[in-house]
Amino acid sequence: MSEFSASPLGAELQGTLAFLRAAESLKYMTRTSWTSDGGQETVAAHTWRLCLMALVLAPQCPGIDVGKLLRICLVHDLGEAIRGDISAALQASVPNKAEQERADLVQLVQPLPEAVRADLVALWDEYEAAASPEAKLAKGLDKLETILQHNQGAMPEGFDFLFNIEYGAAYTRDHPVLVALRHVMDAETQQRALEQAARGTGVGEGS
């Protein structure tokens, strides 16, 4: 063991690296969404575009602390590094999803310095409870990013697009930016559902 790794700073950095290595699993943990090229979306990819949405929409959201919003977006699915994502359609069969995900988050951040560990868990708790304007906005954007991906992606035949008409509605009805985005995305969802129905009945297909 080197003199540096044995020092307090070295030990903290080793713990940070251990955390980052464990979080790498988010790069391959998949969600029930597909990209436009037919690949299955990962949790990390969802989180990246959620952060991008937050960044580019923040100027239209006066009073929002952009840094805090981005931090919340970054940690909102961090616990999924342990056991992966549970799709919205299946969450009814896992009533303790939030409790399980929080326990996984606490396990994941264990190697980090205490102050950093506490900050990440507090941000997750704030998101889960929608306890601040930033957390409420993050919740709404999270739902909308999911719908955006469903509408854009090469979803498998039989995918229930109309599920998205009610998905996350409680989190997207208050902020005017979220309401406007929701209006556009709901129209896209209806269109995808109509196109799927047309394929199922052979409408527009050659004999």
Side-chain angles (χ1 to χ4, degrees):
M1 180 181 295
S2 70
E3 182 179 339
F4 175 75
S5 61
S7 69
L9 176 59
E12 284 194 356
L13 290 178
Q14 289 296 333
T16 299
L17 288 172
F19 161 76
L20 292 172
R21 291 185 184 109
E24 186 257 356
S25 65
L26 292 174
K27 291 187 175 186
Y28 58 80
M29 289 289 191
T30 55
R31 291 164 51 86
T32 51
S33 292
W34 278 257
T35 58
S36 55
D37 71 347
Q40 196 163 358
E41 182 195 33
T42 66
V43 177
H46 160 68
T47 299
W48 163 76
R49 191 159 70 167
L50 172 61
C51 290
L52 191 61
M53 286 180 73
L55 183 64
V56 299
L57 290 169
Q60 300 179 47
C61 305
I64 290 294
D65 181 333
V66 182
K68 183 177 184 180
L69 174 63
L70 290 173
R71 291 196 301 275
I72 290 173
C73 290
L74 277 170
V75 305
H76 85 290
D77 277 343
L78 202 50
E80 294 180 7
I82 304 295
R83 278 182 270 197
D85 176 62
I86 300 173
S87 72
L90 298 177
Q91 284 177 18
S93 63
V94 188
N96 65 335
K97 176 186 181 291
E99 180 182 334
Q100 172 183 303
E101 191 170 326
R102 188 182 192 280
D104 289 343
L105 173 65
V106 169
Q107 175 185 334
L108 181 72
V109 302
Q110 198 59 41
L112 289 169
E114 182 178 356
V116 179
R117 187 166 67 234
D119 183 53
L120 294 185
V121 174
L123 286 168
W124 189 93
D125 286 340
E126 186 173 332
Y127 171 82
E128 185 61 27
S132 66
E134 290 80 12
K136 290 176 183 177
L137 184 57
K139 279 263 189 185
L141 291 175
D142 174 53
K143 308 308 180 188
L144 292 176
E145 200 289 324
T146 298
I147 297 171
L148 180 65
Q149 189 59 56
H150 288 166
N151 288 341
Q152 182 179 8
M155 304 303 288
E157 288 300 323
F159 181 80
D160 184 9
F161 286 100
L162 293 180
F163 176 85
N164 284 335
I165 294 297
E166 295 299 325
Y167 174 64
Y171 300 107
T172 58
R173 62 168 58 117
D174 295 328
H175 197 288
V177 171
L178 299 181
V179 171
L181 287 170
R182 183 84 202 211
H183 179 74
V184 173
M185 290 188 198
D186 281 351
E188 291 177 348
T189 295
Q190 295 280 8
Q191 184 61 34
R192 287 296 307 261
L194 287 172
E195 291 170 355
Q196 182 184 65
R199 287 194 301 274
T201 58
V203 174
E205 296 178 358
S207 57

